[in-house]
Amino acid sequence: MSITVPNGQQHILATWKDDNLWFENYDPQTNTCHFNEYSKGNLLQGKVTLKNCSPIALQQSVQSGTH
């Protein structure tokens, strides 16, 4: 399986739940976090969007210069 982070978004995390891969990306232009679930075969199963996300860990890494 190969998944590409969309242009303009920043990858935050990825985790497996059973046979499905969940990953989270952040879009700084819209301040939204996008959770996407993929099953085997790279088939999109579900998507959740968080508005006004402002991820703290990402903000801290940018401020400290580690991002």
Side-chain angles (χ1 to χ4, degrees):
M1 178 184 296
S2 178
I3 298 173
T4 302
V5 176
N7 288 336
Q9 293 187 10
Q10 300 167 341
H11 177 68
I12 296 177
L13 67 87
T15 187
W16 286 96
K17 176 155 174 66
D18 300 322
D19 286 339
N20 298 337
L21 174 65
W22 279 92
F23 67 96
E24 179 184 12
N25 293 331
Y26 174 64
D27 185 338
Q29 291 200 344
T30 61
N31 193 29
T32 55
C33 289
H34 302 275
F35 289 88
N36 297 282
E37 178 188 20
Y38 284 86
S39 66
K40 290 181 179 177
N42 204 23
L43 178 65
L44 180 63
Q45 295 291 312
K47 181 174 182 175
V48 176
T49 300
L50 297 176
K51 297 178 181 178
N52 299 316
C53 184
S54 302
I56 293 172
L58 188 61
Q59 290 174 357
Q60 290 172 344
S61 70
V62 169
Q63 290 172 353
S64 68
T66 59
H67 188 309

